[in-house]
Amino acid sequence: MKKFLVVFFVVALTISLCACTPQTSGSGPSTAPEGTQNNSLIRVGFAQCKADESDWRKANTKSVQDALSRENGFDLILADSNNDAAKQVSDVQGFIDQEVDYIIIAAVNEDGWDTVLGNAQKAGIPVILMDRTINASEDLYTCWLGGGFYDEGVKATDWMAKRFANGKQANIVHLQGQLGASAQVGRTQALEDAIGANSNWKLLAQQTGEWSTDTAKEIMASWIQQYGAEINCVYAENDNMADGAIQALEEAGMTAGGDEGVAIISFDANRAYLQMTLEGKINCNVECNPLLGPGVAAIIKKIESGGQPNKKESVEETAFYYDTITQEIIDARPY
Ligand code: AHR
């Protein structure tokens, strides 16, 4: 009887202790203090090429930060590679070592991704390519979201074909983006294809302006010294470089844009540069949409709820022209 009472007492005590112990499901709200890891948030490593490189890149960085905020359920860790491809690969390896839940990459360079993406795959971390594409097997990443760089280039060369119609000679200087970035590769390829197809188009000079206003201005000034009034078309692979080229032309007493000035082609279509398009200084400004944060957040939420995102998600892009753009169009745009 005494033995029975002892067993009964131990069993009763165990049951009551279990009833009082909180269950750790991991899904409830965390009370982790500010600055420490909050397990209810989705941890996302964002390997940005260079967060403040250009107006486009600043808008893109902000879009991701806004969409993947703590209020929206994310713990976003930003790694800025300063456009250094090797650093960016090691930033991604760092995210794998930290065991983040997802990795977003806006790739500095198309090449060099096989090993680190293989490591992410082994660790079971989904990789979302944002904006830039890469040269790697599609099996190594979950999906890509962005615009079409070659198609953007074709929109620009279509406009050039009208400007330089009926055999009118085009003498082009070409400011490229950072070499090896898919945005540079696609836009450059479209121009080179069009030059090959139009015997009245001549490429006077081609050099990278590294997406930068100041670098582009310096290069443009040296081309003006070399070719002077022979230049009648600038193909600049982003707004900031178009701005640098325009500054150099104006400082040299030349006219940028309009019907008779040096034809200025730009990419990105950020608000300030659409204003320059309305002023006539940029003739053709091809849109590249930087507001990719909400799309990335939606992809992650889809995966979290057991869904499978499309391998490729292209965003819609348009183009703006100096002779048809209006202030109303600019005011209605989100960036
Ligand atoms: O990948 C998009 C390009 O990258 C933008 O045109 C440029 O401004 C940016 O850095």
Side-chain angles (χ1 to χ4, degrees):
M1 182 62 183
K2 197 175 165 194
K3 200 174 170 191
F4 171 76
L5 277 176
V6 169
V7 171
F8 176 78
F9 180 71
V10 168
V11 169
L13 187 66
T14 306
I15 290 169
S16 73
L17 276 176
C18 282
C20 295
T21 305
Q23 299 300 298
T24 51
S25 70
S27 59
S30 162
T31 52
E34 187 106 12
T36 64
Q37 199 172 313
N38 181 334
N39 290 331
S40 71
L41 299 174
I42 302 167
R43 292 183 79 218
V44 182
F46 174 24
Q48 177 62 293
C49 36
K50 184 173 178 181
D52 64 351
E53 161 220 86
S54 55
D55 291 60
W56 191 99
R57 194 57 58 188
K58 284 181 200 162
N60 175 249
T61 304
K62 184 171 183 315
S63 171
V64 175
Q65 286 172 327
D66 288 350
L68 276 72
S69 63
R70 293 179 89 82
E71 297 72 46
N72 290 344
F74 298 94
D75 177 11
L76 184 70
I77 311 159
L78 173 72
D80 186 343
S81 80
N82 202 25
N83 272 340
D84 177 336
K87 178 179 183 306
Q88 191 177 41
V89 170
S90 80
D91 287 342
V92 172
Q93 185 58 52
F95 289 144
I96 298 167
D97 297 341
Q98 287 177 63
E99 299 178 358
V100 297
D101 299 315
Y102 293 85
I103 296 172
I104 308 169
I105 304 172
V108 174
N109 202 293
E110 287 185 318
D111 297 324
W113 289 103
D114 289 349
T115 305
V116 77
L117 293 191
N119 294 343
Q121 193 170 55
K122 273 182 230 143
I125 303 172
V127 170
I128 299 163
L129 303 179
M130 183 199 61
D131 163 39
R132 305 272 178 82
T133 52
I134 60 171
N135 289 327
S137 162
E138 286 190 0
D139 299 340
L140 288 175
Y141 55 89
T142 304
C143 63
W144 162 84
L145 169 76
F149 301 121
Y150 184 84
D151 291 349
E152 292 169 6
V154 170
K155 288 191 183 96
T157 56
D158 282 351
W159 180 83
M160 289 164 68
K162 288 181 201 138
R163 175 78 159 210
F164 299 100
N166 305 318
K168 185 178 172 199
Q169 183 64 38
N171 293 322
I172 306 158
V173 291
H174 177 195
L175 287 160
Q176 298 170 288
Q178 182 168 353
L179 299 181
S182 61
Q184 175 273 314
V185 173
R187 293 169 188 168
T188 293
Q189 191 60 57
L191 177 63
E192 289 177 347
D193 287 352
I195 289 171
N198 289 281
S199 56
N200 57 321
W201 293 21
K202 183 173 159 196
L203 184 64
L204 294 178
Q206 181 181 58
Q207 193 178 324
T208 177
E210 309 280 357
W211 308 118
S212 144
T213 304
D214 292 345
T215 309
K217 185 175 175 183
E218 232 170 80
I219 295 167
M220 188 68 203
S222 74
W223 285 340
I224 292 169
Q225 291 230 320
Q226 198 176 346
Y227 301 103
E230 208 187 331
I231 301 168
N232 64 2
C233 182
V234 175
Y235 183 98
E237 289 182 2
N238 81 346
D239 277 339
N240 292 72
M241 295 192 294
D243 187 19
I246 291 165
Q247 289 180 33
L249 286 165
E250 291 182 341
E251 284 177 21
M254 293 170 77
T255 305
D259 293 337
E260 304 296 337
V262 176
I264 307 290
I265 322 301
S266 184
F267 294 84
D268 289 352
N270 295 289
R271 185 182 296 279
Y273 305 87
L274 286 181
Q275 214 61 52
M276 288 170 74
T277 310
L278 182 65
E279 285 167 31
K281 292 187 178 191
I282 294 172
N283 293 91
C284 167
N285 200 338
V286 182
E287 181 187 29
C288 179
N289 190 341
L291 306 184
L292 302 173
V296 171
I299 288 168
I300 294 176
K301 295 277 173 165
K302 187 170 199 169
I303 299 170
E304 285 290 298
S305 58
Q308 180 68 41
N310 299 327
K311 199 77 196 181
K312 292 181 180 176
E313 291 202 18
S314 301
V315 293
E316 295 255 322
E317 296 173 326
T318 184
F320 302 92
Y321 308 99
Y322 75 109
D323 48 357
T324 52
I325 194 166
T326 64
Q327 190 63 53
E328 292 68 41
I329 291 174
I330 298 173
D331 292 345
R333 295 194 40 86
Y335 62 92

